[in-house]
Amino acid sequence: MDITLQKSTIQKQSAIQITGSKSESNRLLLLQALFPEIELKNVSNSDDSNLMTKALASKEELVDIHHAGTAMRFLTAYFAVQEGRKTILTGSKRMKERPIKILVDALRELGAEIDYVENDGFPPIKITGKKLSKHKVSLKANVSSQYISALLLIASKLENGIELTLDGDITSVPYINMTLSLLNEIGVKTSFQNNVIKVYPSKTNPKPLVVESDWSSASYYFSIVAISEVGTQIELSSYKENSLQGDSCLVAIYKHFGVISTFKENSVVLKKEATQIKPLALDLKNAPDIAQTIAVTCFVLGISCDLTGLHTLKIKETDRLVALKTEIEKLGGTIEITDKSLHLKVSKNIKPMVSITTYNDHRMAMAFAPVALKQDIIIEDAGVVSKSYPTFWEDLKAIDFKISE
């Protein structure tokens, strides 16, 4: 389904309720499968979290997680410790092109039994669950944090826990800290000193856990407020100032665009204030998922930006750097990319009625939606947003975006 967004002016004041964080939900769903006494509230309604829930409950040998990259990494580790169970873990055509070797090698180092079904280093994989007694393993520090988190999440169920050494400069520290904080919250003891992470065999402290709403989903409203008139205000629920999510850095980043964030008891209010917007330079190695949102915000506002630390974007749902370059240039922008950075030049005009290709990538669809505040735009395959934020288009309509199929 393609949709057309006509040039829109949104309400001066509005409120949106966003579902639980996909990142937190998927970690806690896996922990709940390991420790069934855990009770969860405000779990994400995203495709990824629904697929995670279904896979964890499945009794079948073949488990298909479609486009859900986080689920692929986390479930590889989970099924590796399910003693006596045989599982073939597969996914979409794109998932079969996304590397899994780093995680498989680490699990094998701990004693796991995992074989490749088609191509070495890539899904699908055949996992024979067993008891893992080895506990020392090392990884390069600049790998996807999902590989690291996958190991940490199962660690307290290992006979001797885990001692994970990270070699080099660590990427995506907030996501690692999120995993460790959630482990601590359920009663699992951990330590993170220098480049060594330890998780100890532990019993849990069962209590109801409320999943904070998703900051990556909030990013599109930061963009909308930044592009809107001075005085525009959107209240987002449920958010907290001391968030575990790395993308909460949006609060500091979007001050640059005149977006001031004020926290209330269970929400954050975004308000556009007058400011002189200057060119932007950011290292996003700790929050790469908001790169698309920021690049589009800068393009629409007619300012240049230099975004670095983006090496993990090449192995997402699509090569997000190439996709951004292609679609921003369609709109009339000038953009250069390397394998880990993006450089946007000042653009004065936005071409009308451009059709944005989304490449099976939910973030491409949502990041480009705010363009409609300045110009008519078409979003192809708009249903792709269900991967992380199924009610996105309905929520935009509620604040007066003009959307038609």
Side-chain angles (χ1 to χ4, degrees):
M1 175 190 75
D2 298 351
I3 61 171
T4 300
L5 283 73
Q6 294 175 299
K7 187 177 177 182
S8 306
T9 302
I10 67 163
Q11 297 171 21
K12 271 287 189 178
Q13 290 194 359
S14 54
I16 299 286
Q17 172 71 51
I18 296 177
T19 186
S21 157
K22 181 165 68 80
S23 299
E24 285 191 30
S25 293
N26 285 353
R27 285 161 170 78
L28 287 169
L29 286 167
L30 190 148
L31 290 172
Q32 186 182 50
L34 294 172
F35 303 101
E37 63 272 20
I38 295 171
E39 182 185 343
L40 301 180
K41 297 179 179 179
N42 196 36
V43 172
S44 170
N45 64 352
S46 65
D47 282 356
D48 278 18
S49 294
N50 290 336
L51 284 163
M52 188 83 176
T53 301
K54 185 178 176 183
L56 289 166
S58 173
K59 304 298 182 190
E60 302 295 321
E61 182 173 332
L62 182 67
V63 175
D64 186 346
I65 52 77
H66 304 283
H67 295 301
T70 307
M72 173 58 75
R73 276 87 179 254
F74 289 1
L75 291 170
T76 297
Y78 173 78
F79 287 125
V81 296
Q82 298 307 298
E83 292 180 50
R85 173 166 178 172
K86 287 183 167 56
T87 308
I88 295 175
L89 192 56
T90 190
S92 64
K93 181 175 180 291
R94 172 62 179 165
M95 189 58 62
K96 292 180 180 183
E97 297 169 350
R98 296 177 70 177
I100 195 78
K101 185 177 189 301
I102 291 168
L103 177 58
V104 169
D105 287 351
L107 286 164
R108 284 174 171 173
E109 204 173 319
L110 292 169
E113 188 176 333
I114 305 174
D115 298 298
Y116 297 109
V117 177
E118 294 176 9
N119 298 313
D120 276 4
F122 299 88
I125 51 178
K126 182 179 179 181
I127 307 165
T128 304
K130 57 191 291 193
K131 186 175 183 178
L132 306 183
S133 55
K134 295 178 183 177
H135 71 288
K136 291 191 176 184
V137 66
S138 61
L139 287 175
K140 288 185 178 177
N142 66 349
V143 300
S144 167
S145 63
Q146 290 178 12
Y147 298 140
I148 297 165
S149 288
L151 297 171
L152 300 179
L153 287 167
I154 63 164
S156 64
K157 279 292 190 180
L158 304 189
E159 190 175 21
N160 300 302
I162 205 167
E163 182 179 313
L164 174 59
T165 302
L166 300 173
D167 300 325
D169 293 328
I170 304 171
T171 303
S172 298
V173 173
Y175 285 104
I176 298 170
N177 285 335
M178 176 196 290
T179 301
L180 294 174
S181 295
L182 293 173
L183 286 167
N184 296 157
E185 206 165 333
I186 67 165
V188 174
K189 185 183 174 188
T190 68
S191 69
F192 188 179
Q193 294 182 321
N194 299 320
N195 277 41
V196 178
I197 305 173
K198 294 181 181 179
V199 179
Y200 300 89
S202 310
K203 294 180 179 177
T204 62
N205 174 27
K207 60 178 180 178
L209 296 175
V210 180
V211 182
E212 184 188 18
S213 294
D214 192 72
W215 277 95
S216 305
S217 296
S219 73
Y220 313 112
Y221 297 99
F222 277 87
S223 183
I224 287 165
V225 173
I227 295 164
S228 295
E229 297 173 2
V230 170
T232 301
Q233 179 177 302
I234 300 179
E235 182 173 349
L236 303 175
S237 306
S238 304
Y239 291 94
K240 52 192 179 187
E241 195 163 5
N242 58 339
S243 175
L244 300 178
Q245 298 174 51
D247 288 348
S248 61
C249 64
L250 285 159
V251 169
I253 292 170
Y254 270 78
K255 276 184 184 175
H256 184 89
F257 303 110
V259 179
I260 304 304
S261 305
T262 306
F263 286 89
K264 299 166 90 170
E265 186 176 343
N266 195 37
S267 64
V268 60
V269 178
L270 315 181
K271 187 173 182 180
K272 177 64 181 287
E273 296 191 354
T275 190
Q276 185 177 0
I277 303 173
K278 299 176 182 176
L280 185 66
L282 284 174
D283 182 347
L284 290 176
K285 71 178 180 182
N286 288 330
D289 279 345
I290 58 175
Q292 288 144 295
T293 309
I294 293 168
V296 174
T297 304
C298 290
F299 168 70
V300 174
L301 290 172
I303 64 170
S304 63
C305 70
D306 296 288
L307 306 180
T308 58
L310 305 181
H311 60 281
T312 60
L313 294 193
K314 297 190 78 63
I315 58 166
K316 296 287 186 176
E317 284 78 354
T318 185
D319 183 331
R320 287 180 173 166
L321 289 170
V322 171
L324 271 173
K325 176 177 170 63
T326 303
E327 302 310 310
I328 285 177
E329 286 181 345
K330 277 189 197 174
L331 287 162
T334 304
I335 187 169
E336 295 176 359
I337 59 170
T338 69
D339 60 352
K340 56 188 175 185
S341 65
L342 176 156
H343 309 278
L344 175 73
K345 296 181 180 176
V346 176
S347 303
K348 296 298 183 187
N349 299 305
I350 303 172
K351 293 179 181 177
M353 288 302 289
V354 168
S355 187
I356 299 296
T357 306
T358 51
Y359 307 91
N360 286 320
D361 185 348
H362 53 134
R363 300 210 187 283
M364 287 299 291
M366 293 185 283
F368 279 88
V371 173
L373 296 170
K374 297 294 182 183
Q375 197 62 268
D376 295 354
I377 189 170
I378 298 165
I379 305 291
E380 298 174 13
D381 190 20
V384 74
V385 300
S386 65
K387 180 177 170 62
S388 64
Y389 189 171
T391 60
F392 180 69
W393 302 117
E394 289 82 357
D395 288 348
L396 288 197
K397 284 179 182 177
I399 60 174
D400 287 351
F401 271 79
K402 298 172 186 173
I403 302 174
S404 59
E405 293 183 22

